[in-house]
Amino acid sequence: MDSRLPLHVIVLAAGQGTRMQSALPKVLHPVAGRPMLAHVLATAAALDAEVSHVVIGHGGEAVQREITAPAGLDVRWAIQHEQLGTAHAVDQAMPAVPDAAQVLIMYGDVPLVQSATLANLLAVGEATGALLAAQLSDPTGYGRLLRTADGRLAAVVEEKDATVEQRQIKEINTGFVCAPAHKLRAWVAGIDNDNAKGEYYLTDLVALAAAEGAPLAVATAEEAADVEGVNDRLQLARAERRFQARQAEAVMRAGVSLRDPARFDLRGTLDAGRDVVIDADVIIEGHVVLADGVQVGPFVHLRNVEVGAGSRIHSHSVLESARVGADCDIGPFARLRPGTQCADGARVGNFVEIKNASLGPGAKANHLSYLGDATVGAKANIGAGTITCNYDGANKHHTRIGESAFIGSNTALVAPVEVGDRATIAAGSTITKNAPADALTLARSREQKSLSGWKRPQKRPGSGGDNGGSQGGA
Ligand code: UD1
Ligand code: CA
């Protein structure tokens, strides 16, 4: 056959997924933060498929809503109103498949299959069609391959229809099949539902091809676990761990040290420089960029974050939609919310929350503060307990803190307000008006007094020792 025939992928995704015990359609359950079906379509795109026809039924509208086509892949939907079997499902997509095409059948609930495995299947089956097999020590539940004495593929028998002897066969059908479109069309039209489940079995095409004297070729998946389907939440968790292990390996090969690859979760994409070290139990979501030499401590959660070279994100910090420059120290226990920008050399310490705010180069907020809707100048020092009061109950207002300003501990900055460059704010102040540059500003509810003639209360003589020396009753 012509190797230049366009590839049309048919993805079967109409089943209910009863064993997931879920309101969510099975193919939308996520592996590494993406729906299983999105993984399958990404694999189809990696194979340079021209069109992917997705057969949907149960929860089809939700599936159409949640899935976006990967770049370069034309995704079309085929509705299967009643789930009458895998051949019936394929039949729903066939009207949109031209005769001059190669067809690859994929499954929406087999997310880990690798494009190289399928490329091999396509190469093997270019003329005759081919089926992807695997060797399983426990083949329970799968269709078994029946071969002739000379080793040619004769049929696939489903578990429910198999004899006791056939059930001993460990060579199974993974479900992935490829065939020239015109052959597939004819085979599917010839399949009936005369079997134990009363379904139209796609696998019956194997016997039809053999009867025509041109049996399907067989390709074998090297990693059987890659072609395992997900039917329940246990298998979903296994697929997740397997996918994470694959990603951890890729990340380490690219030069990142993972202190424990089994405790690393990437739900998105990581773009890491050299000599990045990631400690245990770090969760990375969305798109994260870590420049050379970044160190990420244990139990850190990063989502859509960029971190500059040599910075350290200490344990238990949570960063979302934030940018951190080079040589910064963040955490432990810091929270950088969306819109946070820390310039080079900035420090954010424990129990500091920052939102929609920028810290200039070398600025420090080391303890217990909230900086929201604020601009903090270079080398400014934010004392413990500083709060930007950015919200008046209706609107948010901005606070500007100048370069090298020093904000004393427990200061409330009531926005909108500005603190000038090199200004000092006395500890415990509530600042409601702009504080000028270079000056000390105090704003406390009352001045502190010291009374020199003051005497501590004395115990009354003869009052006895009943209170055990406690000062409580004085
Ligand atoms: C199927 C194969 C079996 C193979 C196994 C691999 C058939 C008859 N059997 O069995 O040989 O070992 O997969 O996992 O093909 N689907 C639809 N519409 C339908 C029926 C199914 O879209 O009417 C979809 C399901 O959502 C699922 C896939 O097709 O994604 C497979 O269907 P399922 O019923 O799970 O087939 P198995 O019994 O597992
Ligand atoms: Ca199945």
Side-chain angles (χ1 to χ4, degrees):
M1 283 292 287
D2 190 343
S3 62
R4 286 164 300 173
L5 284 180
L7 176 62
H8 282 238
V9 169
I10 298 177
V11 183
L12 304 191
Q16 188 164 14
T18 317
R19 281 172 285 167
M20 295 300 283
Q21 307 284 359
S22 176
L24 191 68
K26 178 163 77 171
V27 294
L28 292 183
H29 278 263
V31 168
R34 288 163 84 201
M36 290 196 278
L37 180 54
H39 287 267
V40 172
L41 292 175
T43 305
L47 287 165
D48 280 331
E50 198 169 277
V51 184
S52 184
H53 308 266
V54 183
V55 183
I56 49 176
H58 282 282
E61 282 168 23
V63 174
Q64 283 173 297
R65 215 171 32 244
E66 294 301 319
I67 296 292
T68 39
L73 184 67
D74 180 3
V75 172
R76 298 187 203 164
W77 306 99
I79 316 283
Q80 187 191 25
H81 295 285
E82 264 187 295
Q83 280 66 60
L84 302 179
T86 45
H88 181 259
V90 169
D91 205 25
Q92 308 311 301
M94 286 314 287
V97 178
D99 265 340
Q102 277 291 338
V103 179
L104 170 65
I105 313 289
M106 295 180 74
Y107 290 67
D109 60 356
V110 185
L112 301 193
V113 66
Q114 308 225 34
S115 57
T117 305
L118 297 178
N120 179 47
L121 174 71
L122 287 164
V124 166
E126 208 176 322
T128 55
L131 171 153
L132 185 67
Q135 291 284 346
L136 295 187
S137 51
D138 177 13
T140 309
Y142 288 92
R144 313 293 208 283
L145 268 61
L146 306 184
R147 290 181 185 260
T148 60
D150 61 355
R152 307 208 319 161
L153 187 57
V156 167
V157 59
E158 293 303 306
E159 166 110 356
K160 285 206 170 142
D161 301 286
T163 64
V164 174
E165 277 137 42
Q166 287 168 335
R167 289 185 191 182
Q168 305 306 309
I169 297 170
K170 302 219 171 352
E171 190 181 26
I172 63 95
N173 171 31
T174 65
F176 292 90
V177 172
C178 72
H182 67 278
K183 288 194 168 204
L184 184 63
R185 200 185 314 278
W187 289 331
V188 166
I191 290 173
D192 63 27
N193 63 352
D194 183 15
N195 53 52
K197 280 168 94 180
E199 286 187 2
Y200 295 88
Y201 288 165
L202 181 64
T203 42
D204 283 355
L205 66 80
V206 173
L208 293 177
E212 289 164 10
L216 261 69
V218 177
T220 300
E222 279 173 28
E223 296 280 349
D226 284 356
V227 291
E228 263 178 38
V230 172
N231 297 307
D232 59 29
R233 293 183 197 250
L234 280 77
Q235 290 170 327
L236 181 66
R238 269 213 301 275
E240 177 77 26
R241 282 337 307 163
R242 187 169 175 81
F243 189 76
Q244 291 298 348
R246 218 192 254 172
Q247 291 192 131
E249 197 178 314
V251 162
M252 290 187 289
R253 289 202 191 285
V256 173
S257 281
L258 297 179
R259 290 277 186 243
D260 184 353
R263 287 185 291 160
F264 168 73
D265 286 85
L266 173 56
R267 301 170 192 159
T269 50
L270 172 63
D271 181 354
R274 297 177 64 178
D275 299 314
V276 167
V277 179
I278 298 178
D279 212 321
D281 293 314
V282 169
I283 293 178
I284 294 179
E285 295 185 318
H287 182 60
V288 168
V289 179
L290 304 176
D292 291 350
V294 166
Q295 294 180 29
V296 181
F299 308 106
V300 166
H301 189 174
L302 304 175
R303 184 185 172 85
N304 295 323
V305 167
E306 261 181 56
V307 182
S311 285
R312 290 161 295 270
I313 313 296
H314 301 282
S315 67
H316 296 277
S317 294
V318 178
L319 285 70
E320 180 180 1
S321 301
R323 289 177 69 166
V324 174
D327 293 316
C328 292
D329 278 279
I330 308 295
F333 296 98
R335 178 160 184 221
L336 306 189
R337 290 170 54 200
T340 298
Q341 300 205 26
C342 297
D344 296 351
R347 283 169 183 272
V348 176
N350 39 212
F351 308 109
V352 174
E353 175 181 351
I354 305 183
K355 182 216 74 170
N356 187 31
S358 62
L359 261 58
K364 291 179 193 169
N366 274 336
H367 331 266
L368 298 156
S369 290
Y370 173 61
L371 300 171
D373 303 300
T375 311
V376 177
K379 294 202 168 124
N381 191 328
I382 309 295
T386 298
I387 305 287
T388 55
C389 309
N390 58 328
Y391 185 51
D392 61 12
N395 296 298
K396 301 277 170 68
H397 301 281
H398 194 83
T399 300
R400 197 192 83 82
I401 297 170
E403 283 181 28
S404 300
F406 183 99
I407 312 295
S409 298
N410 204 31
T411 292
L413 299 162
V414 182
V417 73
E418 291 193 11
V419 175
D421 294 347
R422 296 169 304 282
T424 302
I425 305 296
S429 293
T430 297
I431 300 295
T432 54
K433 290 180 283 190
N434 291 351
D438 298 298
L440 168 66
T441 297
L442 295 91
R444 294 171 180 161
S445 55
R446 59 186 142 94
E447 275 302 319
Q448 178 172 327
K449 293 180 203 153
S450 296
L451 305 180
S452 54
W454 182 76
K455 289 264 183 328
R456 281 191 187 166
Q458 298 290 312
K459 247 183 231 173
R460 259 181 274 127
S463 68
D466 301 333
N467 59 12
S470 158
Q471 291 179 14

